[in-house]
Amino acid sequence: MRIASYKRTKEIVDKYNFVIKKNFGQNFLIDGHVLDKIINSAEISKNDVVIEIGPGVGSLTEELLNYAHKVYAIEIDKSLIPILEDNLKNFDNLEIINQDVLKVDINSIINQFPDKDIKVVANLPYYITTPIIMGFLEGKLGVKSMTVMVQKEVANRMKAKPGTKDYGALTLAINYYGRPYLAANVPRNCFLPRPNIDSAVVRIDIYKCPPVLSADDKLMFELIRMVFNQRRKTLLNAIYNQGGFGFTKEKISEIINAAGFSPEVRGEKFSLEDFAMLGNCFTNAINI
Ligand code: SAM
């Protein structure tokens, strides 16, 4: 029987007297169908090196090890390490790293495998979902795809359309770096312990080149942050109120006009292309 079942997971927790830690976002996957959906949508083969974040008691790890060339499992909780070593001792393609994923030098792993595809697969701890995903995307590490279990609400934000309530800075950031697909909706009863929210599996195929031309990514994302921090304000006021890159209100208005937009519209409906265009006009104005 696979670890991703109520019976095996409960047996492991009891056998090692393991205390489940809420503060580490420990909700273990106990549903084999969901596990199959993750594995199928990640399309893991022997040409892949997988980085798994938070292996827990090893339910996903066990399956990944069957398909991948090698799995790096990064787990913050040191009391899970002997459990993983014991339960997965029959595999010779596993490397366990007992560290906070945000502090691991991912490049040093990736650089060892120039001929392999690097894929991230994880049932992510809810409390740091966004920093983990954005760390991998912004790091431009050469990861091919990320197949991750996230809160349903985060999945909705990743896939949101302009003008909807879920559309925002996260939508734009994810879609700048990659293309997100919803692979599965996952009800809360698929985990032990049961969380009080539903989840979803999302696969993000990471672009080699971004889909829009932005002269200065940092500036474009600063602009996006300004707009969604004050999403009910006009474009002009939102930018001006938050520093306006040091320009006067008149100059900001002129730059917005030069980009082909009205300073009086709200930026919350702007597409990624619109933000890239506007960002490039600010970059030009700064560089003059
Ligand atoms: N993969 C397992 C599963 O599907 O059953 C466990 C998933 S559980 C939602 C999240 C896991 O991430 C836990 O094992 C937790 O200890 C680990 N974790 C939490 N914060 C972490 C961090 N900063 N770095 C690495 N692992 C972390």
Side-chain angles (χ1 to χ4, degrees):
M1 191 187 286
R2 302 196 286 186
I3 299 173
S5 59
Y6 175 79
K7 192 168 179 286
R8 278 287 311 278
T9 300
K10 183 81 173 60
E11 266 170 21
I12 292 172
V13 167
D14 291 347
K15 177 176 170 195
Y16 297 91
N17 286 322
F18 177 71
V19 180
I20 295 178
K21 297 169 198 73
K22 226 177 158 176
N23 61 323
F24 281 151
Q26 290 174 349
N27 299 100
F28 301 132
L29 183 64
I30 52 166
D31 187 297
H33 298 294
V34 175
L35 177 62
D36 291 338
K37 282 197 174 159
I38 299 174
I39 298 291
N40 290 340
S41 85
E43 293 178 0
I44 304 300
S45 76
K46 287 289 170 196
N47 192 43
D48 298 326
V49 171
V50 173
I51 298 175
E52 188 197 1
I53 301 145
V57 292
S59 48
L60 185 51
T61 327
E62 179 183 52
E63 207 61 17
L64 289 168
L65 287 162
N66 283 322
Y67 292 96
H69 171 70
K70 184 153 184 155
V71 176
Y72 284 84
I74 305 171
E75 175 56 62
I76 197 169
D77 184 352
K78 78 170 185 313
S79 59
L80 282 168
I81 306 304
I83 301 179
L84 284 165
E85 284 170 348
D86 197 11
N87 284 300
L88 302 171
K89 60 175 178 285
N90 293 334
F91 293 95
D92 61 5
N93 54 342
L94 170 65
E95 181 115 7
I96 300 169
I97 301 172
N98 180 207
Q99 224 179 314
D100 176 348
V101 66
L102 298 177
K103 296 187 179 142
V104 175
D105 179 4
I106 302 289
N107 258 325
S108 71
I109 299 175
I110 292 178
N111 290 341
Q112 295 172 47
F113 302 97
D115 301 330
K116 297 273 181 259
D117 286 335
I118 310 291
K119 294 180 179 171
V120 172
V121 184
N123 171 13
L124 288 175
Y126 291 157
Y127 75 106
I128 44 165
T129 302
T130 310
I132 292 176
I133 295 176
M134 291 316 300
F136 274 90
L137 296 178
E138 287 170 351
K140 298 179 183 150
L141 301 168
V143 170
K144 190 164 188 214
S145 65
M146 298 184 78
T147 304
V148 285
M149 176 94 69
V150 297
Q151 303 92 308
K152 180 83 182 69
E153 171 247 325
V154 173
N156 291 344
R157 282 161 58 203
M158 288 182 186
K159 301 266 314 143
K161 295 273 175 276
T164 61
K165 75 168 174 27
D166 287 329
Y167 186 72
L170 181 72
T171 322
L172 288 153
I174 297 285
N175 286 273
Y176 180 70
Y177 292 109
R179 185 189 288 270
Y181 300 90
L182 179 69
N185 285 313
V186 183
R188 57 196 79 183
N189 58 7
C190 295
F191 303 94
L192 180 80
R194 194 177 154 142
N196 45 23
I197 45 164
D198 292 324
S199 300
V201 178
V202 176
R203 167 171 154 177
I204 306 166
D205 286 339
I206 300 175
Y207 295 132
K208 286 208 166 76
C209 289
V212 295
L213 274 178
S214 163
D216 182 344
D217 301 3
K218 249 180 92 186
L219 183 143
M220 181 181 74
F221 283 114
E222 178 63 10
L223 202 52
I224 290 171
R225 191 192 57 77
M226 287 175 176
V227 164
F228 288 99
N229 266 353
Q230 298 197 348
R231 58 194 295 160
R232 299 276 150 218
K233 298 265 196 262
T234 64
L235 194 54
L236 174 61
N237 284 337
I239 298 172
Y240 178 68
N241 291 348
Q242 294 171 89
F245 303 101
F247 291 119
T248 62
K249 201 165 186 177
E250 291 66 34
K251 184 67 187 170
I252 296 169
S253 185
E254 195 185 297
I255 296 168
I256 296 173
N257 274 315
F261 304 109
S262 160
E264 298 310 315
V265 296
R266 286 190 197 150
E268 63 177 355
K269 289 187 182 152
F270 274 28
S271 65
L272 189 55
E273 290 76 12
D274 294 336
F275 278 111
M277 168 68 90
L278 190 59
N280 289 343
C281 287
F282 273 98
T283 304
N284 285 343
I286 288 166
N287 291 336
I288 281 173

